[in-house]
Amino acid sequence: MSKFIKLKKGFDINLAGKAEKKIAQVDQPETFAYKPSSFHGILRPKLTVNEGDNVKAGTPILFDKKNDRVKHVAPVSGEIVEIKRGEKRKLLEIVILADKKIEHVEHKKYSVSDINNATREEAVEHLLASGTWVNLVQRPFGVIADPEETPKAIFISAFDSHPLAPDYDLLFKGEEQYFQAGIDVLKKLTPGVIHLNLNSDAEVSQIFSHAKNVQVNKFSGPHPAGNVGVQIHHLDPINKGDVAWTINPFGVIQIGKLFLEGIYDASKVVALAGSEVNNPQYYKTYTGASIKKMVADNIKSDNVRYVSGNVLTGERIDADGHIGYNDNLVSVIPEGNYYEMFGWILPTTKKLSFQRAFGLLSFLNPKKEYVVDTNERGEPRAFVQTGVFEKVTPMDILPTYLLKAILAEDFDEMEALGIYEIIEEDLALCEFVDVSKHDVQSIVREGLDLVQYS
Amino acid sequence: MGFLRDQLDKVKPHFHKGGKWEKFYYIYEAHETLLFVPNHTTKTKGAQIKDAIDMKRMMMTVIISMIPCLLFGIYNVGYQHFLALGQEAALLDIILIGAIQVLPVVVVSYAVGLGTEFAIATIRQHPINEGYLVTGMLIPLVMPPDIPLWQVALATIFAVVIAKEAFGGTGMNILNVALTARAFLYFAYPSQISGDVWTYLGDGTAVSGFSGATPLAIGAQSLTTGENVVSSLGSFGAGWADGMFEFSNLFFGFIPGCIGETSTLMCLIGAAILIMTGVGSWKVITGVFAGAYLMGLGMNAIGLNEFMLMPAHYHLVIGGLAFGAVFMASDPVTAAQTETGKWVYGILIGVLTVVIRVFNPAYPEGIMLAILLMNVFAPLIDYSVVNANKKRRLQRATV
C-alpha cells in the first residue's frame, strides 16, 4: 500500500558550494570523537573507559545509567586521548587517537537465513550490546529508542532535503545487501510496517529501489519533505501514547553489516560543502572524524564557521572539531560578525529571503545559488508576523500557537497542538524565516523536555 | 560610514550595564540598529543562517505601501481647499497648501508617538518594536485635514499607552492602535471629527452652494429625505464642483474626507504592494471587500429604504472602507492569526461596516467601528480554528 504524497509548503534553501560528486583521496584524520550531545535522552552518562585506555572499534565506552542496556561504543580502534568536559563536568567528547589499521571487536556472524530465523529478543540483545542500537530514534521526543517498547512502525527517510545535503546515492553506493539485511533485522522489531520514503523529484538510488519487505512511499515537494517527522505526519501520525521509531539509512546499513560481517563498522562518507570551501567534495572516513585535515588548505578565508551537519539544524564546531554522530555533512559558511549600514533597507539581490518583502523579484531566478553568512539579520522582537510559519510547515500543525503554549509551559495545550509529532528539525525553517528572530528549535526542545520529564 | 560607526562604538559602553546611561539602553539600541544591522551571529546550535528579513524591513514595506495614499492625500487636501474657495490654483500651490496642512500632523504623530514609546521602553526596560513606524503614519492618514495638532498628540498618547503598552506592547495589543487614536477623537471631540470638517478652508470663505458633506452623510440623509442615493450623489456639488460624487471620482478620490483615505485607487496600489511582498494578508483584504459587497447586495435585495437600495459597489468606494480594509484590518497583530480565521475576520468586517453604515446613521463611518469590534472578536475566531485543529488530532487518536 505505497503512498504518494505531494507537499506544497516549505522552502528549498539553495546555497552555493554544493559538494562535487567524487570521493577525495586523503589521509585519514588522526582523531575521532564520540559526542553524547549528538543524542537526546542520555540522562546520566557513565564512562567505562579512562584516558589512556586502548579500545577497538566496537568497544563499549559509555552507557546511560538510566537506560543501561544501550551501549555506546568506540567508532575506531586506538587510544582514548582525551575526555572533554564542559560546565558542571558535563561530558562533551570522548576523543580517540585512531590506529593506522582499524581493529574490530568480533561479533557473531549471521547468514541471511540465520537472520530470518533469529528471534526478536536475540536481535534486540545483539543490537544493544554491539552499539548499533543508538541509531534507532524514538518518536515522540527524538530520543534513543527504549528497548522495552515496541514501535507501531519504523520510518526511514531515503533522502535529505536540507541545504547542501549530501547525495545519498553516493553515500551508500554498493551497500545494497547490508541495507537489505538491516531491513530484515528491523522487521523483527515492529509488528507494523517499515516505511521507506523516497524522493519522487529525483532519481532514486538502486540501494533503495531494490529494497524488499518495506512499504515504499514517495514524497514530492520542497524542504522539509525529506524530514522523517513530516513524512510520519502524512503516513501514520503519532498520537498520544503512540511510539514509532526512525532510523537513517546509515544506521540500517550498520545493522546489516553487524549481522552479516560480525563487526561494528563506523565507516561513512561525509560531504564537505559550502561557499567557503575551495573544493567541496566527499570524504570516506569514520563516525566522529576530526575535520582538521579536510579543511586544511581548502578554505577561502579565516572568518568562517564550521558546522557539523546542515546550516538549519547543525552545530558549530572548531576548525579542528569533530563531526557529530548523525551528521554526514560539514558546512562551511562565512561568519556574519560585521555591521552593515542600512542593511535592512538597501535593495540587493545577494541576500536570501523566503519572503518577498526582501527578494521581491527572486522568483525570476529560482536556480540562483546564494552565499549566506551567519549574521542574525535583525534583533529579537515580539511575535508579530502571522502566517509565515504555516507556509514553511507542511503539516496540520499551528506552529505559532504551539510555540506560545511551550513558552507558557501549558502541558495540555502542547499536547493538544501536536508536540508529539515534531522535533526541532521539523520547525527549523520557522527559525530561519522568523522576522522576530526567535530560537524556535531550542523552544521546541524545551517543550519536549517538559512533556517528557515532568 | 566608518565615522558614524566609530561614534556609536564610542558612546555604546555608556549604555551597557553599569554605564551612566544604562537606563536608556533600548533607546540607543533602537537608533543603532536603525543605522546598522548589528554584528550578532547565530547561536552555536540550530539555524546557522537566517532569513534576510527583519521587523524593520517588514514595517518599512507597510510604510512604502502607504506613500501613494499620503502623497495623494497632500494633493487632495490642497485641491479640495481651492475647490471649496472656488479658486483656480497651480499644481504647486495645491501641493503647498496640502503639505502645510498635512505634514505637521505627520510630524506630531511621529514625535509624540515615538517619544511615548521611548519613555515606556525606558521605564519597562523592553526593546522598542518597530510597530510604531507604521502606526505613526496611519494616524495622520485617518485624521481630518483641519484637525488641531494638540488633539493629534493627545489621541496618539492615548492610543499608545492605553491600546498598546497597557496590554504589553507591540504584538500583544488587542485593538488596532491607529484606529484607537481615531476612535478616541471620535468620541472625545465629536465636533472636530464629524460634520463639516473634511475640507480645509483656512481663512477663506467657501463659494456659495458649498457643502462639506461626505458621500456617507448623503447616504444617511436619504433615510430622511427618501431621495435616491445615486441621484443625490450625482447632483451634489452642482455649480461649484460638478460631478464630484460620481462613481469614477469617488474611486479616484478627489473628494473631501480624511487625509489619506479618500482614494480607493491609492489604497488598491497599497494593497498590491502589501500582497505582492507578502506582508499583508490577501485573505483579510479580499475578505473585507467581498463581505461589504455581498452585504451591499443583500441590502439591495431587502430594499426597505433608499440607502439600502444604493448599489453595492458604491459601498466599496465611499468612506474609509478601502483604507480600512488594506491598512487597518490587515494589521497582523490585531487580526485573526489563523489562515481560516483571516477569511472569517475579513468578511465579517465588510459585512459589519455596511450594516453599521446603513442601520446606524449616528455613526456614518462604519469601518472604524467594524474593525475595532472584530479586533475584539479575532481571538474568539482563532480559538475556534485552533480548536478544530486540536479536534482533528484527537479524533485520530485511539487512546
Side-chain angles (χ1 to χ4, degrees):
Chain A
M1 209 187 60
S2 120
K3 284 189 186 168
F4 172 75
I5 288 151
K6 193 169 168 56
L7 302 175
K8 288 205 180 112
K9 295 173 176 180
F11 184 51
D12 279 325
I13 296 177
N14 196 3
L15 294 185
K18 293 185 181 59
E20 198 187 330
K21 286 185 187 168
K22 64 168 195 201
I23 295 180
Q25 297 300 324
V26 287
D27 293 346
Q28 278 302 322
E30 282 150 2
T31 57
F32 292 82
Y34 197 83
K35 299 194 224 182
S37 64
S38 303
F39 307 93
H40 288 290
I42 299 184
L43 296 179
R44 295 182 60 197
K46 176 82 182 147
L47 283 168
T48 54
V49 287
N50 292 311
E51 283 182 13
D53 288 1
N54 281 304
V55 292
K56 287 183 179 174
T59 305
I61 52 175
L62 174 80
F63 67 91
D64 181 1
K65 274 191 191 166
K66 291 273 178 192
N67 192 2
D68 58 4
R69 293 173 72 196
V70 181
K71 301 284 186 268
H72 297 259
V73 302
V76 293
S77 63
E79 183 194 345
I80 311 272
V81 284
E82 193 186 358
I83 290 169
K84 264 193 204 157
R85 291 182 183 273
E87 272 175 42
K88 296 185 187 165
R89 288 187 43 79
K90 188 185 172 192
L91 183 59
L92 297 181
E93 286 185 2
I94 302 154
V95 185
I96 302 167
L97 181 65
D99 294 337
K100 285 273 173 283
K101 189 171 178 332
I102 303 297
E103 286 178 42
H104 295 273
V105 174
E106 280 179 32
H107 292 287
K108 183 185 167 190
K109 265 193 196 179
Y110 288 72
S111 69
V112 174
S113 63
D114 289 343
I115 293 177
N116 290 335
N117 294 332
T119 61
R120 181 179 197 269
E121 287 68 35
E122 189 183 346
V124 169
E125 279 314 317
H126 199 41
L127 292 173
L128 285 167
S130 64
T132 50
W133 183 270
V134 297
N135 291 304
L136 288 164
V137 175
Q138 175 204 294
R139 292 294 184 112
F141 309 125
V143 295
I144 297 174
D146 180 353
E148 313 290 332
E149 296 261 16
T150 307
K152 67 170 180 176
I154 294 177
F155 296 85
I156 304 164
S157 174
F159 66 107
D160 187 345
S161 53
H162 283 104
L164 297 173
D167 177 24
Y168 275 16
D169 185 45
L170 198 138
L171 250 49
F172 306 122
K173 211 174 187 109
E175 313 271 15
E176 282 85 350
Q177 56 159 334
Y178 300 124
F179 187 78
Q180 187 57 51
I183 295 281
D184 294 339
V185 175
L186 292 176
K187 192 79 195 150
K188 298 180 185 303
L189 303 181
T190 174
V193 234
I194 296 179
H195 293 271
L196 181 63
N197 306 323
L198 309 180
N199 183 4
S200 78
D201 298 339
E203 207 176 318
V204 173
S205 169
Q206 276 206 354
I207 179 171
F208 304 123
S209 58
H210 290 175
K212 289 187 239 358
N213 287 334
V214 290
Q215 173 180 323
V216 173
N217 309 296
K218 293 199 167 180
F219 283 80
S220 156
H223 180 67
N227 278 11
V228 72
V230 173
Q231 296 165 354
I232 297 173
H233 179 88
H234 290 279
L235 294 168
D236 185 5
I238 313 243
N239 303 304
K240 189 182 183 183
D242 285 354
V243 170
W245 289 352
T246 69
I247 184 168
N248 54 35
F250 170 80
V252 181
I253 292 165
Q254 199 181 37
I255 290 172
K257 265 189 200 153
L258 172 73
F259 278 79
L260 292 181
E261 306 292 336
I263 55 165
Y264 174 88
D265 184 11
S267 66
K268 64 155 61 168
V269 176
V270 296
L272 177 68
S275 59
E276 300 311 292
V277 184
N278 285 327
N279 294 308
Q281 56 189 339
Y282 292 81
Y283 295 84
K284 190 161 175 59
T285 179
Y286 299 87
T287 305
S290 161
I291 61 167
K292 196 172 167 186
K293 284 191 178 172
M294 296 179 206
V295 299
D297 304 325
N298 199 7
I299 304 298
K300 289 175 187 164
S301 85
D302 289 338
N303 194 22
V304 297
R305 179 178 293 198
Y306 302 96
V307 180
S308 170
N310 65 71
V311 292
L312 281 181
T313 65
E315 185 169 13
R316 183 175 81 189
I317 54 174
D318 295 330
D320 58 353
H322 298 91
I323 305 173
Y325 182 87
N326 293 304
D327 297 327
N328 38 32
L329 167 68
V330 177
S331 315
V332 189
I333 54 173
E335 275 288 7
N337 50 352
Y338 57 87
Y339 288 96
E340 188 186 5
M341 196 173 194
F342 296 123
W344 55 280
I345 190 67
L346 293 178
T348 171
T349 53
K350 287 192 179 138
K351 288 182 184 159
L352 172 68
S353 178
F354 170 68
Q355 307 186 29
R356 277 165 313 187
F358 226 107
L360 186 60
L361 301 176
S362 61
F363 67 91
L364 294 175
N365 193 0
K367 291 253 153 76
K368 177 172 176 159
E369 293 185 335
Y370 291 85
V371 175
V372 185
D373 60 45
T374 62
N375 194 291
E376 277 272 359
R377 310 243 168 257
E379 307 80 45
R381 292 289 184 254
F383 281 105
V384 166
Q385 199 189 21
T386 62
V388 68
F389 283 2
E390 283 77 5
K391 282 187 199 152
V392 294
T393 310
M395 299 193 265
D396 186 18
I397 279 180
L398 302 165
T400 317
Y401 285 89
L402 179 54
L403 293 171
K404 286 185 177 176
I406 295 172
L407 292 173
E409 303 194 1
D410 185 335
F411 289 77
D412 293 341
E413 282 284 295
M414 284 189 238
E415 214 173 276
L417 290 167
I419 194 158
Y420 295 124
E421 299 179 46
I422 55 159
I423 60 170
E424 297 97 314
E425 61 174 21
D426 300 320
L427 294 191
L429 269 178
C430 296
E431 184 167 314
F432 173 75
V433 299
D434 187 12
V435 172
S436 311
K437 312 290 172 189
H438 288 94
D439 293 324
V440 173
Q441 294 185 82
S442 53
I443 296 174
V444 169
R445 180 46 67 182
E446 252 167 60
L448 291 169
D449 284 348
L450 278 173
V451 174
Q452 191 181 10
Y453 299 120
S454 54
Chain B
M1 168 181 169
F3 172 75
L4 204 54
R5 186 66 248 162
D6 291 345
Q7 292 301 312
L8 282 170
D9 285 337
K10 216 189 271 158
V11 295
K12 196 171 189 172
H14 297 309
F15 292 98
H16 279 296
K17 229 178 164 55
K20 54 183 165 180
W21 301 317
E22 81 176 89
K23 268 194 216 141
F24 305 110
Y25 173 73
Y26 287 109
I27 297 181
Y28 170 81
E29 190 238 13
H31 287 93
E32 189 199 359
T33 57
L34 195 69
L35 290 170
F36 292 94
V37 173
N39 61 349
H40 303 158
T41 53
T42 49
K43 301 246 159 66
T44 54
K45 196 161 182 174
Q48 310 282 326
I49 57 173
K50 292 282 177 97
D51 197 303
I53 199 165
D54 68 350
M55 187 85 89
K56 287 192 218 345
R57 176 71 170 217
M58 198 178 119
M59 295 300 175
M60 193 49 81
T61 310
V62 183
I63 294 178
I64 290 169
S65 72
M66 285 190 283
I67 286 176
C69 281
L70 176 70
L71 294 181
F72 183 83
I74 289 174
Y75 173 81
N76 191 44
V77 167
Y79 176 78
Q80 295 299 329
H81 172 75
F82 288 112
L83 192 65
L85 298 184
Q87 296 170 2
E88 292 282 324
L91 179 67
L92 209 63
D93 291 332
I94 293 177
I95 293 175
L96 195 67
I97 287 283
I100 289 173
Q101 268 319 97
V102 172
L103 293 184
V105 184
V106 178
V107 171
V108 167
S109 159
Y110 270 115
V112 173
L114 287 175
T116 315
E117 289 256 333
F118 287 168
I120 290 169
T122 305
I123 294 168
R124 306 214 356 202
Q125 289 295 301
H126 68 63
I128 294 159
N129 280 270
E130 287 79 5
Y132 193 78
L133 295 179
V134 170
T135 313
M137 182 61 85
L138 279 173
I139 290 179
L141 293 184
V142 294
M143 293 292 155
D146 218 1
I147 188 89
L149 293 179
W150 65 269
Q151 286 188 6
V152 178
L154 197 62
T156 304
I157 294 172
F158 178 86
V160 171
V161 174
I162 303 294
K164 186 157 80 170
E165 294 300 334
F167 288 93
T170 302
M172 324 282 180
N173 47 315
I174 312 255
L175 297 177
N176 183 299
V177 184
L179 267 186
T180 308
R182 157 102 195 216
F184 172 77
L185 290 183
Y186 195 84
F187 292 107
Y189 301 98
S191 58
Q192 276 93 345
I193 202 164
S194 56
D196 280 357
V197 298
W198 306 110
T199 310
Y200 165 64
L201 292 173
D203 298 329
T205 27
V207 290
S208 67
F210 168 78
S211 154
T214 60
L216 277 172
I218 292 171
Q221 274 164 22
S222 74
L223 293 174
T224 45
T225 60
E227 283 171 27
N228 181 289
V229 179
V230 175
S231 65
S232 312
L233 286 174
S235 60
F236 180 84
W240 61 281
D242 286 314
M244 179 189 258
F245 289 164
E246 271 172 13
F247 185 80
S248 62
N249 214 40
L250 291 172
F251 177 76
F252 290 120
F254 298 100
I255 52 173
C258 286
I259 292 170
E261 68 169 21
T262 58
S263 172
T264 307
L265 176 67
M266 294 301 150
C267 293
L268 288 179
I269 293 174
I273 295 173
L274 287 180
I275 292 172
M276 267 191 328
T277 54
V279 170
S281 165
W282 67 273
K283 292 176 186 172
V284 172
I285 296 172
T286 325
V288 177
F289 282 111
Y293 187 69
L294 291 176
M295 196 61 206
L297 287 181
M299 292 285 182
N300 293 165
I302 304 169
L304 294 179
N305 57 43
E306 284 300 326
F307 203 0
M308 287 176 105
L309 282 170
M310 184 179 79
H313 57 276
Y314 272 80
H315 275 298
L316 308 184
V317 294
I318 62 175
L321 186 121
F323 190 84
V326 174
F327 298 112
M328 300 285 193
S330 64
D331 166 15
V333 174
T334 54
Q337 310 203 340
T338 50
E339 295 305 300
T340 325
K342 282 174 185 168
W343 279 119
V344 179
Y345 170 84
I347 290 171
L348 282 178
I349 286 178
V351 167
L352 275 174
T353 304
V354 173
V355 169
I356 295 173
R357 279 179 180 176
V358 174
F359 289 122
N360 196 342
Y363 302 118
E365 187 41 293
I367 184 88
M368 174 181 84
L369 296 168
I371 295 178
L372 287 174
L373 189 63
M374 289 315 294
N375 280 169
V376 175
F377 278 102
L380 187 66
I381 299 172
D382 284 334
Y383 178 81
S384 321
V385 177
V386 173
N387 248 6
N389 177 286
K390 292 180 188 167
K391 262 202 193 124
R392 282 197 293 281
R393 193 163 286 113
L394 266 183
Q395 270 165 2
R396 185 176 86 192
T398 44
V399 282

